[in-house]
Amino acid sequence: RSSDLEGTRMPQTFIPESDTPRQRNFVEKYRKTFGVDRIPVAPAAAQGYDSMLLLAAAIRQARSTEGPRLQDALENLKERVEGIVMVYDRPFSKTDHEAIDSTRPLVMGEIRNRQVVFAYDEDRKRDALSR
């Protein structure tokens, strides 16, 4: 039962109640596009969206969709990409393919009334300032 999960906490890269205009716009468009009140797995939706923004930037830079050229562009991305989860400024290198790192700390989410919300007000404030 979903009520058994009430109060459960977990680290999150994105919580839909975030306060930046870019994030609010993303949530509103998602809800309208898919006709839902809540995004079922909001971090996955936001990270997937950001992945496509990064891929589009790499395609523009490589001027190609060829694998090796895209990989080189991603590992040397010159364009700064404003995503939903974070702003990506050279997110990858030849030895590091993890875009989410200590420069973008995770926040703690908590299930309340079947929604994942910020567990701590400090995380909400820090999250808004980091974007």
Side-chain angles (χ1 to χ4, degrees), residues 52-72:
M52 291 300 100
L53 294 177
L54 289 166
L55 182 59
I59 290 170
R60 285 191 296 273
Q61 182 173 312
R63 297 178 191 235
S64 171
T65 56
E66 187 180 309
R69 292 182 70 179
L70 278 179
Q71 180 176 348
D72 183 62

Side-chain angles (χ1 to χ4, degrees), residues 1-128:
R1 293 180 335 182
S2 62
S3 62
D4 294 340
L5 299 175
E6 188 73 14
T8 301
R9 291 187 176 177
M10 73 291 298
Q12 300 284 292
T13 56
F14 173 70
I15 293 178
E17 67 170 352
S18 296
D19 291 331
T20 68
R22 186 171 58 248
Q23 291 172 327
R24 278 194 308 271
N25 187 44
F26 170 77
V27 170
E28 288 170 18
K29 284 184 177 180
Y30 187 102
R31 287 176 176 159
K32 184 178 178 184
T33 299
F34 296 102
V36 296
D37 290 329
R38 71 183 263 300
I39 302 173
V41 185
Q47 288 173 216
Y49 183 85
D50 286 5
S51 296
M52 291 300 100
L53 294 177
L54 289 166
L55 182 59
I59 290 170
R60 285 191 296 273
Q61 182 173 312
R63 297 178 191 235
S64 171
T65 56
E66 187 180 309
R69 292 182 70 179
L70 278 179
Q71 180 176 348
D72 183 62
L74 283 167
E75 292 174 345
N76 299 287
L77 199 60
K78 295 176 180 141
E79 182 180 333
R80 185 178 168 178
V81 176
E82 292 192 18
I84 302 305
V85 172
M86 62 186 275
V87 175
Y88 302 87
D89 191 5
R90 298 193 179 266
F92 307 110
S93 70
K94 289 192 182 300
T95 59
D96 182 4
H97 295 148
E98 297 292 329
I100 310 251
D101 60 22
S102 62
T103 62
R104 171 64 177 100
L106 299 173
V107 295
M108 285 304 290
E110 181 177 314
I111 298 176
R112 292 187 204 142
N113 299 316
R114 301 180 64 182
Q115 300 283 338
V116 177
V117 298
F118 286 99
Y120 304 107
D121 284 337
E122 305 85 57
D123 278 353
R124 178 194 321 276
K125 292 173 187 169
R126 184 172 38 87
D127 187 65

